[in-house]
Each structure stands twice: as structure tokens, then as C-alpha cells.
Amino acid sequence: MATFDFLLQGLLVAAQPMNLLYALIGVTLGTAVGVLPGIGPALTVALLLPVTYRLDPGGSLIMFAGIYYGGMYGGSTTSILLNTPGESASIVTALEGNKMARAGRGGPALATAAIGSFVAGLIATLGLAFIAPYIVKLALVFGPREYFALMVLAFVTVSSAFGDSTLRGLTSLFVGLALSVVGIDQLTGQARLSFGVPELLDGIEVTTLAVAMFAIGETLFIAAQGDKGPDKVEAVRGSVWMSANDWARSWKPWLRGTIIGFPIGAMPAGGAEIGTFLSYAAEKRLTKHPEEFGNGAIEGVAGPEAANNASAAGTLVPLLTLGLPTTATAAIMLAGFQQYGLQPGPLLFATNPQLVWGLIASLLIANFMLLVLNLPLIGLWVKLLTIPKPWLYAGILLFATLGTIGANPSVYELGMLLAFGLLGYAMRVFGYPIAPVVVGLILGPLAEQQLRRALAISQGDYSVLFTSPIAAVLLVIAAAALIVPLILRARGRGEVLSQLAANED
Amino acid sequence: MKHFFLATILAGAMSLPAFAADYTIIAPANPGGGWDQTARSLQTVMQQEGISSNVQVQNVPGAGGTIGLAQFASQQKGNANALIVGGYVMVGAILTNKSPVTLKDVTPIARLTGEYEAVVVPAASDIKTMADLVEALKKDPGAVSWAGGSAGGTDHIAVGLIAKAAGVDPTKINYIAYSGGGEALAAILGSQVTAGVSGYGEFESQVKAGTLRLLAVSGPERIAGVDAPTLKESGLDVVVENWRMVAAAPGLSDEQKAAVSADIEKLAKSAGWQEVLKTKGWQDSYLAGDAFNAQLEKDVAATEGVLKDIGLVK
Amino acid sequence: MTKGHHPSTATRRPDRAALFIAVVLGAIAGLIFWDVSRLAGAAGYSQVGPTTVPYAIACCLLALAIWTGFEAFRGDFPERERQEVAPVIWIVGGLAAQMLLLKVAGFSIATGILFALTARGFGKRKLWFSLPVGIVLCFVVWVIFAKLLQLSLPAGPLERLFF
């Protein structure tokens, strides 16, 4: 089988000592920059890409693969330890991961993230190698109505991040949705909610909102506790490694996360964060320890992290087979590939097999290097928590603003960072969950645009939304996911509901 | 592990040039896009050809380039060392966003590259020629959905012009805007829409692979090596070129303007730039001086007309 | 971090802060109604135009405002811990200073001030120590990111002194 030959050949090249060293350097650099709060994978890859140009094509490709995986993984470290996700795909990781870190279980959280990323990366990269042409066909079947159904499903899953109050969860979500309307309406070119301010015409940057709400809001909240809070977090309680129980609870979420993340990453309008939402919701429904969700359940870290990495490999499917960059990171990678003479497109696998299989082999090696580098480092990362608070949080704000300034050095952007940071603080004080705001900002425009596109193509016929089999199945799953817990909740909280009803008249 | 990091940083430090800044080029878009690539190619070639020893690129993204343009016009006034990259998309964005700063507020130097639009349909489509598509459009404009880039952009303008030339009311076109060429391409490949319009480069590899059928291109003449008629040959009097240009700051003296123009001319004629055009697949459409200014005015007037016809500008 | 959820008691006074939140939510809804009403609702071939979704969001926000108002009267909001105001002001001051000084003073000085003021918010009073430390640290960061990695971070007098 020629495919195998090419892959073996690629692996042999990639496994040369010099290339292994390049992979290690790439992973180290990618992790080192990606770990800084506020600097997500897109910026990491953009920053470090030029470093690879100085090497020969083989070495540079492998170093690049290392940077890519390192940058993807680095973001989860600060999410877990410091509750400051620098990008949308690791928001869900912070939900459970940070609770674990606060309970002294930061080590196992980081380990399950690292091993889950490795497992997902391995399976997804092999998927990229062998089933990319089929996956891409599936992705192309997804038109506006299927995407709309997927967004409806994603909206339903947001409720798993609502915390203990439906009112406050919904309020957070709708604040995010209101923010998502700001800017030029993509389908008609009209400005909405921008009040004549040109800087608002492009809408609110998801990264800016995420960094402000999480990094700055969290810093303000911790500072406002004064001397009340514990002076230092107990970094390690129990073992820094995963226990047998942790393993038993992690492996299934890893696999489920991979299965959810890979195809969604491959869809031209999917996006890594949607896979992480769906994975989190799935784990929450399937877990045997529902009481731990919201207080540091390991499944809630293992699943989304695997989904995140699997969708990173999934993104390469449309990129390599169609030449479609579907995320900011992919767009930068496309520019990188062109430097290596790799012209992504439908003919790539046929005309340039060496380079493609070299890349896939590099991804496999880089994925492995990531594990080699990061498992021993976990003990060190956990020590981050022992840095005295003033210096730790001063450093977080330094890097959080660095990422924003680097992406767009504008006073308006920093102003938004400050304003949303204060909003994030206020919401923490009043017990509002933060994640739904960011989720609303991400999903709002996607759902609206896909709905309007679907209806425009059908010239206003609403029935098309349900007549496609894929869309219908997705909508049924969404309806079930919405109604079943409602019934359960209504039974459990019947008392509260009847009280509410009594108050209304 | 720290050592690897430091070693690489040091290696990087030694290979960096350390000259004083000569040119700052504003790319009014995010890293990775067309304007950014143009700016970074200018940077590379200017340094390589010795036109300028140090060139910095700065990204000021937002609102179809109008934010970068506004900032450039106000902050760089009289600075002969500042350049901005722009293009046809900016002409439309200035109109649809009601930008107070227009291309009149900077000093356009030269048009550098251009790309023609292409009209495609999925390979499985019943529509075989441009005439078939026009016929379908005339029969029921709503039934023909067009995928392309953002509302009011080059692709949308091209569709408006095609409808008008075919005698169909441009407000009746069913244009489905996508955020980028990539997403639109996926919709066309998946047969979600009837037809697609975007820059030819966006479709090139799919056309070659036979998954898309190329109906027409929007240049005044056929593109060399591409087997497709122009819109004009298909009986539609439409020529659209998505060009990119470079402009200098407002308020320059005639000598300063001449010096910048000379640098850009040297660049455009250099072997390094020709090499860049070839590898990136950009067409050389170098046009400077009064000829460029006249062309610019014509484009602005025509764009305003079609945007009014589509109903995007009042 | 999670605060105890107290069941409603009839004796509790209405929660003023929660009422304020309800008013703010209502105001956001009003703002959306006002802004979107000025748009041309050209829906084209889809029945859903650029105004439909914003109106729907505004209606939901209005409903949430009313719901929040109810909960405020019932005192259903969680108990809040007392917040220290001074540290928040220090940090917000640092962020504001960075924002205003960035273009004039450059990245290192502006961000160094943010660094020192944040540390001050967390109780490090010795600004004469933390300010230089912050500026030096930010300068090192600037060199790495702006010079080696070509990120465009604004330069000021300090950066120009060296480069």
C-alpha cells in the first residue's frame, strides 16, 4: 500500500536525531509562548513561524508542527492553573480544571490534559492521513441549514456551563448574544449597535472578551478579596500524578472527545470551541459522578482537551484537501505551507505526496515530543501557583495586555479590555457564570448568519430547516437534550416553580 | 529546557539586521490576508533590493481597511517615510461604512497588482455556460443564489454588475455573503448555492481538479493559460479588477512625492518583485502617476453607482 | 468562591444591587430596540432580516430583566462577600494608565506602571522597587517580542534609547 510506504518514509526522515531536536525546540517554543495568558495558538504560530524559515524544508516543517501542537497545548496550562484561558477553545477546560487546581489536583488535571491531547492528536492525525477524503465529503454536505441545526445543539449544551442558577446563566448568555450583534451585519453590510464608532464596526473580538472576562476579571476579583482569601494556594495535595482512578475516569472522555472534535474541526464553519462545548456537555450527561461537575470533575478536563486537539488536526483536513483555511490559525498555517512550496488543494495528495506525508509524520513526532516535554514539566508548572500573588497577577496582566496590544495596538482595544474586565469582575461578585458570555459571542453570529443564509437560499421557505436528514437528526438530539433535563429538574424543583408561579399573579 | 529557548532566541538575535527605520508600511488588515501579504512582500523586496535598509510592517485591521486608512491619514500627515497598502475593496468599504476619510485624503502612489474575478458553478451543475446562468437569472433572479465574500465587497459588486448588464434588476439578486473566500468555496463545492464569484486564484486549484466549472472571468481579455471566456465575450459588458495599491501620507511636498514614487517604481521593476508576483500568482498591473489617479476616480464613480443599484448605499 | 444560596425569606428587604442589574438589563434591551429600529430591515429573500435577531435578543433581555426584578424582591440573590475597593482601584488605575501612556511612553514604561500598580493592589507597597522591576521586565519582554518575534509593540523613549 503506497500510503503506508509514504508514511513510513516520512517517519524515518522525521525520526532522524537532528529532526527530533528541531521537533523538541519547536514544541518548547510553542509551549513557552502559548502558555502566556492572552497569547492564543494563532498568535503563537504567527510569531514563531519566521523562526522556522531559517532551517532546511524538512527541519522547518517538523519544527513548525511542534510549534503548532505546543501552542495548542500551552493555552490549557494557564486555564487550569490560573483560570485565565487566552483563547476560546480552552474556556471549557478552565471550568473544571481550575476547580481541580484549587483543590490541589492541578497535577492530575494537567496530566489528563496532556495525555488526552496526545491520544486525540495521535488518533486525529492518523484520521487525517487515512480518512481525510471521506471526512471532507461529509464536511461539504454541511450547508447553512445543517450548520444552523448544529448551532442550536451547541446552544442547548451551553446550559451545562450555567452553574447553579438558570436565571443568571441565561442572563450571561444573552449579554454575550447582545454583544455579538455589535458591528457590521455580514449579510447586508449594515452597521448594528456601533453608534458611529468605526472601531466597533468589526464587532467585539472574541479573544479580547475572553482575556478581559477571565484574566482581568479574575485578577480584580482575587485582589478584592484582600487578605481574606488563602495566602497561597496549596499547590499539590496527594500525588502530582494521575491515580488509577483518574486513568479509569479519563480514557473514555479522551476517546469521546476525539470523536466529537475531529469532524467538527474538519467542518469549514465548525471551530474548535464548539467541539469543546459539545464534549463537556456529553461528559456531564454521561458521568457517574455528576455531583463533581462544577467542583472539579476530571472528565470535564479530559474530554474537552481531547476535543480541542482533535479539532486542531481536523482543521488540517479542509486545509490540505481543499486549501480552505477555516480558522485564524489555519490561515497563518496556509501562509506557512506556501513557504515550503506546499500548495494545499484537491491535487495536493496526488502531486506532492512526499511533503504531505512528511507533514503528517512531523505532526505525529511533534505530538509525541509534546508528551515527552510536558509530562516531566507538570511538577514545574504546578509550582507557578507558589509564586507570591502580587508578582503572579502582575505578570498575568502584563502578558494578557501584551497579547491584545500585539494583535491590535489600539487604545480602543485596551479600553474594551478594561471595560469587559470590570464587567467580568462585577459578574463574579454577583455570582454570574462567565463562560456563557463568551459562548454567546461566538455562537450568536454563527447561528444568525447560517439561519439567514439557509432562508435566503430557500427564498423564505422555513421547511428546509427540518427537511435535510442531518439537520433533522441534530435538531432532535438538541430537543431531547433540552427537554429531558427540564423534566428531571421540574420534578426536583417543583416547589420552587410553583412558588414562582404563585408570585406571578 | 530553558536553554533551548534561549539558544533559539540568541540565534534569532544574531541574524537580525539593526538599521534605522526607513519605511513603515501600514497593512490595514489582519496578518495573513491579501493586504498583509502585499505589505510583507513589499518589505522583503525593498530590503532585498536595497531600496530601503529597514522596513517595518504594522497591522491596523478593521472595517475593510477604513480604520487603518483613517489612522494613517491623521497620524502620518507629512511623513514621507510612511506607506499604506490598500485596494479596490477599500473603495467599496469607504462608501458602505460612510467613512469620513477617503482615498482623496492620502497620496495614492501606484497600483501594484490585480486579480480578476471568476464565475464558477459546481461541476455537477446543469449550468454549462455563462449564457445558461444568465438565462436562469432572467427567469427567476431569486432562484439563482450567488456565494461570495462580504456584502459590498468586490464579489458582490461583480454580481451586481452582471445582473445589470443582463438587464435584471440588481436589487433582486440573491447574494449570500460569506466571511471569506474559503467558506464561500465550501458552499459552492457542496452545491449549497447556484454559483460562486470570487478572485480567480481562490478557485484555481479546484478548477484544475475538475470539481468546479469555470464559466467566465472578469478581465478585459482572457487570462493566459486559462480556458474560459471573458464576461464581455459572453455578452455582458462587465470588467472588474480587484487591484491592490500603495499610497503615501497626505501633505507631502512634490519632491517627497517624487522620491516615494521613484522608490516604488524601482521596486515594481525589480527582479525580486517580479519573482514575488510569480510565486504568489499575482498579476503585474503596475500603474502610476496621472494614469493611476484617473483610473482611481473612474473606479470610485463606477463603484458608487453599482452599490446604489444594489441598494447598499443610499 | 461559590456563595451559599439562601432560600427566600419574606422578611428580607429587596436586594438593591439586584434591582440595579434588572434596570441595566432593561436599559440594554432599550438600547438595542432604539439602535436597530433605525436600520433598513431589508430582509431580501430570507424572511429574517438584519433586525430580527437583535429584536429577539432585546425581548429576551427584557424578560430576564423582569425575572431579575422578581428575584430581587424575593431576595433570591446569593449573599455577597464584602469586597475591598482599594485594590480594585489600584489595578484599574494601572490598566487605565497603560492605555493612556502606551503611545506616548512606549510599551515598557506603560506596562511597567501597570505591573507595579497591580503588585500594589496585591499589597506590595514599595513602588520604588516594583516600578523599576516592572519596567525592566517589560523591556526584556519587549525585546523578545518586538525585536526577535517581530510583534508590533509600540516603542517609546526607553526603547529608542537602545534600538
Side-chain angles (χ1 to χ4, degrees):
Chain A
M1 197 172 137
T3 318
F4 256 118
D5 291 345
F6 279 126
L7 185 58
L8 277 180
Q9 208 180 337
L11 278 174
L12 280 180
V13 174
Q16 285 166 6
M18 207 52 208
N19 283 340
L20 285 180
L21 182 67
Y22 287 141
L24 190 60
I25 295 176
V27 168
T28 313
L29 282 173
T31 312
V33 176
V35 81
L36 303 173
I39 302 183
L43 197 52
T44 307
V45 173
L47 282 176
L48 294 175
L49 205 52
V51 179
T52 66
Y53 294 164
R54 301 188 227 282
L55 308 173
D56 63 289
S60 102
L61 200 62
I62 198 167
M63 193 193 244
F64 165 78
I67 291 171
Y68 180 52
Y69 272 135
M72 289 301 299
Y73 172 75
S76 60
T77 306
T78 39
S79 289
I80 291 172
L81 294 177
L82 306 170
N83 200 18
T84 56
E87 30 115 15
S88 46
S90 49
I91 287 169
V92 177
T93 311
L95 286 178
E96 299 300 322
N98 187 247
K99 291 279 159 56
M100 286 181 72
R102 275 164 202 267
R105 303 216 334 113
L110 287 174
T112 199
I115 301 171
S117 295
F118 171 73
V119 171
L122 185 70
I123 299 174
T125 309
L126 289 175
L128 169 68
F130 295 104
I131 56 169
Y134 309 102
I135 288 283
V136 85
K137 279 205 187 98
L138 174 75
L140 285 180
V141 171
F142 265 67
R145 51 191 177 170
E146 285 84 7
Y147 279 121
F148 176 69
L150 182 68
M151 296 309 147
V152 171
L153 178 59
F155 267 119
V156 171
T157 63
V158 179
S159 60
S160 29
F162 272 1
D164 55 0
S165 156
T166 312
L167 166 64
R168 289 194 293 276
L170 275 177
T171 308
S172 288
L173 179 65
F174 273 91
V175 167
L177 288 175
L179 291 174
S180 80
V181 177
V182 175
I184 295 174
D185 168 42
Q186 219 188 36
L187 284 105
T188 60
Q190 297 187 76
R192 298 190 294 191
L193 291 181
S194 37
F195 312 106
V197 180
E199 277 74 10
L200 287 178
L201 285 178
D202 274 351
I204 290 159
E205 195 67 46
V206 175
T207 339
T208 306
L209 184 79
V211 168
M213 285 281 201
F214 284 98
I216 296 181
E218 176 82 1
T219 304
L220 289 172
F221 186 75
I222 301 268
Q225 305 312 304
D227 302 329
K228 274 180 300 185
D231 188 36
K232 234 194 291 178
V233 186
E234 195 181 341
V236 183
R237 191 176 300 152
S239 170
V240 75
W241 300 113
M242 287 168 72
S243 65
N245 186 32
D246 291 334
W247 279 95
R249 287 176 59 181
S250 288
W251 70 271
K252 277 190 210 151
W254 291 338
L255 295 183
R256 279 195 289 263
T258 310
I259 292 168
I260 294 172
F262 183 60
I264 289 184
M267 285 171 195
E273 59 277 346
I274 293 168
T276 63
F277 303 155
L278 293 178
S279 165
Y280 181 77
E283 294 313 325
K284 196 173 175 182
R285 300 248 190 281
L286 294 171
T287 181
K288 292 197 182 79
H289 309 268
E291 74 287 350
E292 278 186 31
F293 266 79
N295 301 312
I298 195 164
E299 293 94 336
V301 181
E305 268 304 303
N308 181 10
N309 245 40
S311 79
T315 307
L316 293 173
V317 172
L319 185 62
L320 289 178
T321 55
L322 299 175
L324 280 187
T326 52
T327 60
T329 320
I332 293 160
M333 287 169 65
L334 185 62
F337 288 158
Q338 282 163 348
Q339 295 284 342
Y340 311 132
L342 204 124
Q343 203 56 253
L347 300 176
L348 179 66
F349 278 81
T351 56
N352 227 337
Q354 262 96 354
L355 267 171
V356 184
W357 292 104
L359 173 71
I360 289 172
S362 305
L363 288 169
L364 287 172
I365 297 279
N367 192 26
F368 176 69
M369 278 295 167
L370 187 68
L371 197 66
V372 169
L373 175 76
N374 279 292
L375 278 185
L377 276 184
I378 286 175
L380 203 69
W381 286 130
V382 175
K383 293 240 166 60
L384 254 186
L385 294 177
T386 59
I387 296 177
K389 266 196 212 164
W391 307 127
L392 179 64
Y393 283 98
I396 289 176
L397 288 198
L398 158 61
F399 285 110
T401 53
L402 167 78
T404 308
I405 296 169
N408 184 4
S410 118
V411 174
Y412 274 89
E413 211 68 21
L414 284 176
M416 269 196 247
L417 203 64
L418 177 54
F420 290 130
L422 280 170
L423 178 65
Y425 166 64
M427 289 177 68
R428 276 177 171 79
V429 172
F430 289 99
Y432 284 90
I434 305 293
V437 184
V438 188
V439 173
L441 183 68
I442 296 169
L443 293 183
L446 286 175
E448 184 194 356
Q449 284 164 19
Q450 301 293 8
L451 173 68
R452 286 168 60 193
R453 280 189 194 127
L455 291 175
I457 291 173
S458 77
Q459 301 186 58
D461 178 4
Y462 280 87
S463 68
V464 292
L465 297 178
F466 316 100
T467 46
S468 127
I470 297 180
V473 168
L474 287 171
L475 288 172
V476 167
I477 300 175
L482 186 69
I483 294 163
V484 172
L486 270 185
I487 295 171
L488 294 178
R489 197 178 288 191
R491 273 193 201 154
R493 294 195 189 167
E495 200 194 325
V496 181
L497 282 177
S498 58
Q499 232 172 359
L500 242 182
N503 273 9
E504 253 155 3
D505 36 54
Chain B
M1 295 307 139
K2 265 257 154 67
H3 289 113
F4 280 125
F5 189 56
L6 287 178
T8 319
I9 293 291
L10 280 177
M14 284 182 283
S15 55
L16 278 170
F19 300 111
D22 271 351
Y23 273 116
T24 301
I25 305 177
I26 307 288
N30 277 312
W35 289 341
D36 178 65
Q37 284 186 40
T38 309
R40 291 189 193 269
S41 306
L42 283 174
Q43 176 187 32
T44 318
V45 176
M46 280 176 132
Q47 290 177 343
Q48 182 186 312
E49 298 286 330
I51 296 166
S52 161
S53 53
N54 190 1
V55 182
Q56 304 275 336
V57 171
Q58 208 185 328
N59 295 89
V60 187
T66 52
I67 290 179
L69 187 72
Q71 192 183 318
F72 181 77
S74 67
Q75 290 181 2
Q76 307 292 349
K77 198 168 217 151
N79 178 2
N81 294 328
L83 297 174
I84 187 167
V85 170
Y88 185 54
V89 175
M90 221 177 228
V91 174
I94 288 169
L95 292 166
T96 47
N97 297 344
K98 303 182 189 76
S99 166
V101 175
T102 70
L103 291 178
K104 286 208 175 73
D105 300 305
V106 296
T107 313
I109 297 292
R111 186 176 74 188
L112 291 174
T113 71
E115 190 180 31
Y116 296 119
E117 297 280 292
V119 181
V120 297
V121 291
S125 169
D126 296 338
I127 295 169
K128 305 283 182 207
T129 63
M130 199 63 208
D132 293 349
L133 186 61
V134 168
E135 197 182 315
L137 189 68
K138 279 182 175 163
K139 213 167 88 195
D140 182 2
V144 177
S145 48
W146 304 79
S150 56
T154 317
D155 307 342
H156 198 174
I157 289 171
V159 176
L161 288 170
I162 289 172
K164 206 175 159 191
V168 173
D169 180 359
T171 57
K172 289 275 186 301
I173 55 175
N174 194 358
Y175 183 80
I176 319 287
Y178 284 87
S179 58
E183 236 187 293
L185 178 55
I188 307 162
L189 284 173
S191 296
Q192 310 290 343
V193 290
T194 317
V197 174
S198 193
Y200 174 66
E202 205 81 62
F203 297 139
E204 190 176 12
S205 59
Q206 304 293 340
V207 170
K208 282 188 180 150
T211 49
L212 289 181
R213 186 178 304 127
L214 180 60
L215 298 183
V217 292
S218 73
E221 285 137 36
R222 291 188 178 211
I223 302 173
V226 177
D227 180 28
T230 62
L231 287 168
K232 275 194 167 165
E233 286 174 59
S234 315
L236 300 162
D237 188 16
V238 175
V239 173
V240 182
E241 185 184 7
N242 189 5
W243 45 261
R244 294 185 198 140
M245 61 143 191
V246 63
L252 298 191
S253 69
D254 286 347
E255 294 85 55
Q256 285 173 318
K257 197 180 155 188
V260 176
S261 298
D263 275 352
I264 297 296
E265 188 177 354
K266 203 171 151 200
L267 168 115
K269 302 268 157 74
S270 72
W273 181 251
Q274 294 302 326
E275 184 63 36
V276 166
L277 292 176
K278 224 170 88 190
T279 51
K280 300 257 181 194
W282 295 341
Q283 289 188 33
D284 190 358
S285 64
Y286 178 72
L287 187 67
D290 292 337
F292 176 47
N293 282 328
Q295 177 68 38
L296 197 58
E297 255 170 54
K298 220 176 106 192
D299 269 351
V300 172
T303 307
E304 191 163 5
V306 72
L307 286 175
K308 275 185 181 153
D309 286 343
I310 304 173
L312 279 175
V313 172
K314 298 260 144 33
Chain C
M1 227 172 86
T2 38
K3 282 138 276 187
H5 193 278
H6 289 255
S8 64
T9 44
T11 51
R12 193 94 73 74
R13 284 184 299 126
D15 188 333
R16 284 229 210 112
L19 272 182
F20 178 70
I21 293 175
V23 171
V24 170
L25 289 176
I28 298 175
L31 192 67
I32 297 178
F33 273 120
W34 171 73
D35 183 79
V36 172
S37 67
R38 302 173 309 160
L39 289 180
Y45 285 96
S46 103
Q47 311 264 296
V48 177
T51 56
T52 317
V53 170
Y55 277 137
I57 293 173
C59 289
C60 291
L61 278 172
L62 210 56
L64 287 167
I66 294 167
W67 189 353
T68 308
F70 267 117
E71 298 238 332
F73 274 105
R74 286 153 35 98
D76 230 5
F77 261 65
E79 195 105 328
R80 291 177 288 281
E81 286 173 31
R82 212 175 62 80
Q83 304 285 313
E84 304 272 341
V85 184
V88 175
I89 291 175
W90 278 112
I91 297 171
V92 169
L95 285 165
Q98 182 202 35
M99 179 171 81
L100 298 174
L101 289 175
L102 188 67
K103 292 270 149 113
V104 196
F107 177 80
S108 309
I109 295 178
T111 313
I113 292 172
L114 165 69
F115 185 90
L117 292 186
T118 306
R120 174 68 185 77
F122 279 92
K124 288 278 171 206
R125 286 164 193 284
K126 297 179 204 152
L127 280 182
W128 56 264
F129 173 71
S130 54
L131 197 57
V133 167
I135 292 177
V136 169
L137 179 68
C138 293
F139 182 69
V140 172
V141 167
W142 184 85
V143 171
I144 294 175
F145 281 88
K147 285 286 128 185
L148 296 183
L149 297 175
Q150 302 282 312
L151 194 63
S152 56
L153 298 174
L158 182 66
E159 288 87 356
R160 287 200 200 98
L161 210 60
F162 290 89
F163 289 94

